[in-house]
Amino acid sequence: NNKEGIEVREHESGDGYWLDWTVRVAKLRSKDKQIMSPEVQLPNGGSDQGSKSFKLFLVPLAKGDKKGQGSFLQAKSRGKVAIKCLDSANPGEKVAREVSVSVGTSPLTAPLSHDFAEQSHCEPTQLRAWDFMRAAKGQDMFVVHVLVQEGVGVAA
């Protein structure tokens, strides 16, 4: 794929969606504090429950709290992947999902259960930093894969 953007496809099991986000390596050489995907719509539960808007984010590992130290350039292209629900939940509504991440050809992380109604931002790889430049393998693009499934493991 030589085009930057995000592709949404249904998971093979039918209970979730793959978000395949193609990112330009040039963005990793910037002083940006985050890289944001285009917005995507994902169904919320059953077909009668509408959909919710989400965005993926790449966040650099901060080297310190001084100006410029929280950029991809300073972090040497290392960072974390996050997902955010842009829509508010209705009272009593659950936006429970299980989220797994892979960058490039790396294996998928174990799923993290998260209710976006309680907290809109989720970092499913909180303990893992990715080397985005290494994932690009010398190419000018790399792909972030996020699997978002219905959150059966999230406590009610």
Side-chain angles (χ1 to χ4, degrees):
N1 186 0
N2 61 357
K3 187 173 178 222
E4 189 174 29
I6 193 163
E7 177 188 353
V8 179
R9 57 191 167 90
E10 192 165 351
H11 186 259
E12 304 80 36
S13 66
D15 71 345
Y17 293 88
W18 284 104
L19 309 180
D20 298 321
W21 179 24
T22 304
V23 183
R24 288 194 182 284
V25 165
K27 292 185 175 185
L28 299 174
R29 297 184 189 105
S30 72
K31 293 183 179 177
D32 291 346
K33 294 192 184 306
Q34 68 181 6
I35 300 171
M36 197 178 340
S37 79
E39 187 175 314
V40 296
Q41 297 283 321
L42 296 178
N44 190 36
S47 58
D48 60 336
Q49 295 182 29
S51 64
K52 296 285 184 198
S53 298
F54 290 87
K55 279 192 178 188
L56 300 177
F57 294 85
L58 302 184
V59 182
L61 288 181
K63 293 290 184 185
D65 54 9
K66 292 184 178 142
K67 185 173 178 157
Q69 290 184 324
S71 71
F72 283 100
L73 188 61
Q74 288 295 315
K76 298 185 179 359
S77 304
R78 293 177 56 81
K80 297 183 178 190
V81 178
I83 182 170
K84 181 173 184 171
C85 181
L86 305 176
D87 299 320
S88 299
N90 297 318
E93 179 182 25
K94 290 250 180 238
V95 188
R97 299 289 187 274
E98 295 209 352
V99 182
S100 303
V101 175
S102 171
V103 176
T105 58
S106 67
L108 202 59
T109 62
L112 174 76
S113 296
H114 186 82
D115 187 353
F116 289 94
E118 292 177 11
Q119 185 176 356
S120 65
H121 182 267
C122 172
E123 246 179 58
T125 59
Q126 291 172 350
L127 302 176
R128 173 146 189 203
W130 299 92
D131 185 337
F132 299 120
M133 195 67 78
R134 177 178 280 168
K137 295 185 176 179
Q139 303 297 308
D140 63 350
M141 305 265 196
F142 64 97
V143 181
V144 176
H145 307 279
V146 177
L147 176 58
V148 181
Q149 294 179 285
E150 289 301 315
V152 293
V154 178

